[in-house]
Amino acid sequence: MSLEIQDSEFDIVIAALQPNLTTFFEAWRPFFSRFHIIVVKDPDLAEELQIPTGFDVKVYTKSDMGVLGATSIDFSGHSCRYFGYLVSRKKYVISIDDNCLPAKDNGGLIVDAVSQHMSNLKTPATPFFFNTLYDPFRKGADFVRGYPFSLREGVECMLSCGLWLHNADYDPMTHVVKRNQRNTTYVDAVMTVPIGAIMPVSGINVAFNREVLGPVMFPALRLRKDGKHRWDTLEDIWNGLCAKVVCDRLGYGVKTGLPYVIRSDAEAGKALESLKEWEGVKVMDDVLPFFQSVKLSTTATTVEDCVKELASIVKEKLGPQNAIFAKAADAMEEWAKLWESHGAQSS
Amino acid sequence: MAAVPSTPLLKDELDIVIPTIRNLDFLEMWRPFFQPYHLIIVQDGDPSKIIRVPEGFDYELYNRNDINRILGPKASCISFKDSACRCFGYMVSKKKYIYTIDDDCFVAKDPSGKDINALEQHIKNLLSPSTPYFFNTLYDPYRDGADFVRGYPFSLREGAPTAVSHGLWLNIPDYDAPTQLVKPLERNSRYVDAVLTIPKGTLFPMCGMNLAFDRELIGPAMYFGLMGDGQPIGRYDDMWAGWCTKVITDHLGLGVKTGLPYIWHSKASNPFVNLKKEYNGIFWQEELIPFFQSVALPKEATTVQKCYLELAKQVAAKLGKVDCYFNKLADSMVTWIEAWDELNPPKGVVAAENDPAKSK
């Protein structure tokens, strides 16, 4: 039932938005050291990166991005990690923000987030019926009474969305209003997000099947004042919304829950500044009816087909509402081209 | 920091419905949590047996004779020799909320060793909104310490009214017979500290062991079907109610939550007996799920009763060919609604002659 996945099939992709990654890499060393790591430096970051030795690391910078030629895709800020997705040659990618460290579980043990993501991707997802004991493939759990037997094989999980302790991934408004709130609840569950359910995928702690999902893992939506803080962006949320539509259409699974990472709150105090010009307030409400009703045609049988179709529907239905959607549609099409020319190969 | 408001007891607004065929000894352990509330005991099996209720509880008890007397010919819709009979308790209750629990369910402990007040958690779940239209990755955003995550549309943050709170079980998990036979020793020891809303359009297996709901919002949909004596199926009563309920809550814009609270489930029922009961259900379920997944209720169905009657029509039309049992079930779904409306007339209308409140 579980897939056999080797370490060698994984790349860890880290976007460097700060120059000193020593603490980050030292903390993750026990869990990262056996993998190939791609570090992509934010093209806007001037300083040299500091990465400790003892890792199999390849660093990509602004000049490396030149290999793509002229492209409308903006790889600055958090979007730089997507360049890492393009240049990776592995079947799976795990990506964690550089201000996140390994968390401790309820028993005080340090969580190997990498292994948990691998486990999520290895075991089937169950999108067609909700299991009240959550992931039935976890040790000590199973499908409950009333779960149809024909649905117990599950489908392949393509996207694993992890969570964050301490500094949770809130929008800037919530950061301001609940400035002292920290996420201290470790929910010991992984679950499949049901087919048809829409969810906000946070890019802070994700893993996915790059070989299959690569063409839909794009940085397409940019707010007019996209900033360096996660709350200034929605590119991962848009990415996730599109990826879920595609997964639902093609019968792939998306899981959410474990693993947790612990996220530092170096940024928390700056949320108020971001509110002044934060376009994000209305964006999700604008796109909600679209995602609630979008249906891809049955002739779209590959991720590439789905992305092309989705991009044109976005252009047609959302483009007229706001230029950022028209640009997002263009970026989705551009990404499809880039993926074909630079991203598609796996080794 | 603002003080955390305490959860209201709702002691005059909530009834606890307990089906039993043996005894109610388990109530002793629940006394600190249940004593403020009115209990409705539905005694299954031999009506001449005396079921002793521990001292100090305020309760009403109905055996089969009572059910027959109160409902007359409509009593045919209430199962006999199956805990599905509990739904009679929902019908005769006059309260806004129901909590139902099995008599082999005890107080569980949370990871810190503290006794879990399951009823309090259910009340919290019911009194706070659900979020069926968009999945919140930090689960119930209304819990202390949680909130909506980045990317959650602001227009959806008021949520939808919560109709159902589905709790879980530590120790003996609610497995079907085949799973029980293959994994007789498996125990659920994982405490998942979350409440979450089941998304609109998603079906789930609703277990009646530890369940609370807003009777005013969804009561008539909580019919636990025809099970037990004389019926070709058992252990699908709560499942049936859950699928009907979810389709209707989705249609009416109400929410269903699952997760906390946990209770401690002490007894594993005999898997060989269970297999016989579930046998037909295991096969029929494969037809039932596509049925429920594709059922469409008309816009004009604006009350639970109207939705439920429409469902009954479709059950007869589409599932009758799976087995004639479903024709019988569709009929009893209609009978259930008739009985419900008789016993629960709209406010201001005088209740029928056989109102149990008058005869007890």
Side-chain angles (χ1 to χ4, degrees), chain A residues 142 150 152 178 236 285, chain B residues 147 150 155 176 183 286:
Chain A
D142 212 304
S150 63
R152 296 193 187 196
K178 293 192 167 183
D236 50 349
D285 291 291
Chain B
D147 213 301
R150 175 174 58 101
S155 63
D176 52 65
K183 291 181 164 190
E286 298 297 336

Side-chain angles (χ1 to χ4, degrees), chain B residues 220-221 223 240 244 247-248 291-292 295-298 301 304-320 325-338:
Chain B
Y223 173 49
W240 181 262
C244 294
V247 164
I248 294 174
F291 167 78
F292 281 105
V295 98
L297 296 172
V304 179
Q305 286 92 325
K306 287 195 182 126
C307 290
Y308 202 75
L309 290 172
E310 175 62 32
L311 255 185
K313 247 198 279 176
Q314 297 194 32
V315 166
K318 299 200 177 135
L319 296 176
Y325 165 77
F326 290 101
N327 289 318
K328 258 189 7 180
L329 181 58
D331 286 342
S332 53
M333 287 168 76
V334 174
T335 306
W336 160 264
I337 293 295
E338 286 169 358

Side-chain angles (χ1 to χ4, degrees), chain B residues 44-118:
Chain B
D44 196 13
D46 182 2
S48 66
K49 178 173 170 173
I50 306 293
I51 301 274
R52 199 191 74 81
V53 183
E55 283 290 321
F57 283 100
D58 170 42
Y59 71 95
E60 51 195 287
L61 187 148
Y62 300 93
N63 60 29
R64 191 71 205 186
N65 294 338
D66 299 313
I67 295 172
N68 290 337
R69 175 176 48 81
I70 289 163
L71 293 184
K74 297 196 180 72
S76 59
C77 75
I78 303 295
S79 302
F80 183 61
K81 297 295 274 299
D82 194 286
S83 63
C85 65
R86 76 176 80 209
C87 63
F88 177 77
Y90 308 158
M91 195 193 276
V92 297
S93 165
K94 297 279 172 271
K95 304 287 172 56
K96 180 159 162 63
Y97 302 99
I98 296 283
Y99 175 47
T100 186
I101 184 171
D102 279 12
D103 62 9
D104 60 352
C105 293
F106 294 82
V107 177
K109 288 193 191 304
D110 70 18
S112 76
K114 184 164 160 255
D115 280 351
I116 298 171
N117 183 345

Side-chain angles (χ1 to χ4, degrees), chain A residues 26-333:
Chain A
E26 286 305 344
W28 284 105
R29 188 183 288 275
F31 312 115
F32 279 13
S33 56
R34 65 189 199 276
F35 296 96
H36 176 64
I37 304 169
I38 291 174
V39 173
V40 186
K41 186 176 165 197
D42 178 0
D44 294 343
L45 186 63
E47 300 103 297
E48 285 296 310
L49 293 185
Q50 292 171 56
I51 299 172
T53 53
F55 293 95
D56 173 18
V57 163
K58 177 130 173 64
V59 180
Y60 293 85
T61 63
K62 186 171 175 177
S63 58
D64 294 303
M65 294 177 188
V67 74
L68 300 178
T71 175
S72 55
I73 301 270
D74 185 347
F75 286 106
S76 66
H78 285 287
S79 295
C80 66
R81 70 148 70 152
Y82 296 86
F83 182 79
Y85 300 169
L86 269 181
V87 298
S88 163
R89 288 293 169 258
K90 298 292 171 67
K91 183 168 178 188
Y92 302 96
V93 161
I94 294 172
S95 203
I96 296 175
D97 275 7
D98 66 4
N99 62 351
C100 296
L101 300 180
K104 284 201 177 130
D105 67 15
N106 286 323
L109 292 174
I110 300 187
V111 172
D112 181 350
V114 179
S115 290
Q116 182 64 55
H117 275 303
M118 286 171 82
S119 165
N120 293 349
L121 292 170
K122 259 202 287 201
T123 53
T126 52
F128 304 111
F129 205 83
F130 189 85
N131 192 45
T132 48
L133 281 187
Y134 314 111
D135 188 344
F137 298 100
R138 273 189 92 192
K139 199 156 178 274
D142 212 304
F143 291 98
V144 296
R145 174 176 59 97
Y147 202 103
F149 280 84
S150 63
L151 297 179
R152 296 193 187 196
E153 235 182 81
V155 296
E156 197 174 340
C157 177
M158 291 298 174
L159 179 58
S160 166
C161 308
L163 294 172
W164 348 270
L165 289 174
H166 195 64
N167 185 16
D169 191 11
Y170 292 143
D171 59 74
M173 219 93 78
T174 309
H175 271 295
V176 167
V177 168
K178 293 192 167 183
R179 67 196 65 205
N180 294 319
Q181 180 160 298
R182 296 294 177 269
N183 185 22
T184 53
T185 305
Y186 183 96
V187 177
D188 189 7
V190 185
M191 65 192 80
T192 298
V193 183
I195 186 170
I198 324 178
M199 65 177 293
V201 174
S202 164
I204 294 173
N205 172 16
V206 287
F208 61 97
N209 182 323
R210 181 194 157 277
E211 207 172 65
V212 173
L213 233 48
V216 75
M217 299 303 284
F218 41 59
L221 184 76
R222 291 195 82 93
L223 301 179
R224 262 178 271 272
K225 292 224 80 173
D226 226 56
K228 300 303 178 197
H229 303 295
R230 270 291 179 194
W231 63 59
D232 287 326
T233 68
L234 284 175
E235 116 282 324
D236 50 349
I237 306 294
W238 177 267
N239 171 196
L241 289 170
C242 296
K244 183 65 167 50
V245 168
V246 173
C247 285
D248 282 356
R249 166 68 195 88
L250 299 178
Y252 296 135
V254 175
K255 289 185 186 177
T256 187
L258 303 182
Y260 281 88
V261 294
I262 189 155
R263 185 166 171 253
S264 67
D265 54 10
E267 317 166 345
K270 299 227 176 108
L272 193 51
E273 290 171 27
S274 296
L275 275 184
K276 255 194 287 181
E277 287 172 85
W278 187 56
E279 183 169 18
V281 178
K282 282 207 72 258
V283 169
M284 287 310 299
D285 291 291
D286 291 341
V287 308
L288 178 64
F290 173 81
F291 280 102
Q292 281 176 327
S293 60
V294 74
K295 276 207 158 39
L296 297 178
S297 62
T298 46
T299 50
T301 52
T302 64
V303 176
E304 292 84 347
D305 287 345
C306 289
V307 171
K308 290 199 174 98
E309 188 180 334
L310 195 49
S312 81
I313 308 175
V314 167
K315 194 172 287 190
E316 184 199 324
K317 300 232 158 88
L318 289 175
Q321 278 186 45
N322 192 326
I324 61 172
F325 300 127
K327 288 208 177 97
D330 288 339
M332 288 162 74
E333 283 166 354

Side-chain angles (χ1 to χ4, degrees), chain B residues 197-244:
Chain B
T197 298
I198 302 185
K200 177 178 181 179
T202 301
L203 291 174
F204 76 114
M206 185 181 84
C207 172
M209 262 198 267
N210 173 22
L211 179 72
F213 58 92
D214 185 323
R215 203 177 146 277
E216 280 174 16
L217 285 183
I218 200 62
M222 283 287 184
Y223 173 49
F224 273 39
L226 286 175
M227 305 278 148
D229 236 36
Q231 306 299 343
I233 186 174
R235 284 171 56 87
Y236 271 87
D237 52 335
D238 42 5
M239 298 299 137
W240 181 262
W243 299 328
C244 294

